Amino acid sequence: MTVMKSVLVAAAATVALSAQVHVQAQTLPTSGTLVVVPAFGEVKHVNDQVVATLAIEEQDKDKAAAASRVNQKMNKGIAIVKQADPSAALKSYGYYTYPVYPEERPLPAGTVAKPRLPTAWRVGQYLEVTTANLAALPKTVSAAQGVLTLNGLNFGLKPETIRLLDDQRIAATYKNLNERVAAIARAMGRNVADAVLDTVDFEGSGNYANESRPAAAPMMMRSAKMADDSAVAEPSFEPGETTLDMRLVGKVKFK
């Protein structure tokens, strides 16, 4: 009986101590506590703009001949794009001229290598086409591909659309901040009405959507004998959608 009584007393003491610790945990003072709360928000929108990269490259033993063909075909390609989509904004860039050298072969021992001379020249240029006329895009690209090559497509949002979505993005992020503050208040055993928003930093994270375009991929070699105005079937494109996100950091102080 004495042993049993000791066990019961020890158990009762353990329960009492556990209850005391639990009460102390629940009553941890939170008055004046400053809480830093990150919040996130995002909005999605169907892409309404595309940047198409068209290109031309020619190779010839005569550098002037290669450059002449590039100039002629680029001029023709620009005219085709302008006719197919008058609303498109065009930008030429990346004109290049590279020598093509013969393949190096191992030389016999003691043989002095001769200076390498180019056997041909590669000449090329890029054309950036920005348009919101996505309905006409397949026809425009198909027409241009009769002369130029399609080097890349990047769908995105027009600057006006991004500005219009800013209000929604800010509202979604601020709503998330309020939801997280309420959840923190409940976890602390406090009333959300006791929380006072001290600071809201919309730039603390630097996590803004960056609509940067990827660099143009290297072009495949285009034969100098390729026929002009070759018929190209219209391609199919799916614009997809863009997600714009935002992050803010709020500082909340409990009374």
Side-chain angles (χ1 to χ4, degrees), residues 170-234:
I170 292 172
T173 309
Y174 194 75
K175 179 183 178 183
N176 182 250
L177 175 65
N178 280 276
E179 292 170 348
R180 303 193 85 181
V181 169
I184 291 171
R186 288 193 298 270
M188 295 174 64
R190 297 296 302 270
N191 192 320
V192 71
D194 294 334
V196 178
L197 194 57
D198 180 81
T199 304
V200 178
D201 181 5
F202 279 91
E203 297 184 5
S205 65
N207 189 28
Y208 287 88
N210 183 15
E211 301 300 323
S212 60
R213 292 188 296 271
M219 275 198 314
M220 298 298 292
M221 288 294 295
R222 181 185 173 100
S223 171
K225 297 181 180 180
M226 186 172 185
D228 292 345
D229 300 318
S230 54
V232 178
E234 289 188 12

Side-chain angles (χ1 to χ4, degrees), residues 104-108 110-116:
E104 287 188 342
R105 296 181 180 179
L107 297 176
T111 304
V112 179
K114 296 180 180 180
R116 297 176 67 206

Side-chain angles (χ1 to χ4, degrees), residues 125-139:
Q125 187 180 12
Y126 295 93
L127 176 66
E128 183 180 273
V129 181
T130 304
T131 181
N133 189 357
L134 301 188
L137 180 62
K139 183 178 180 180

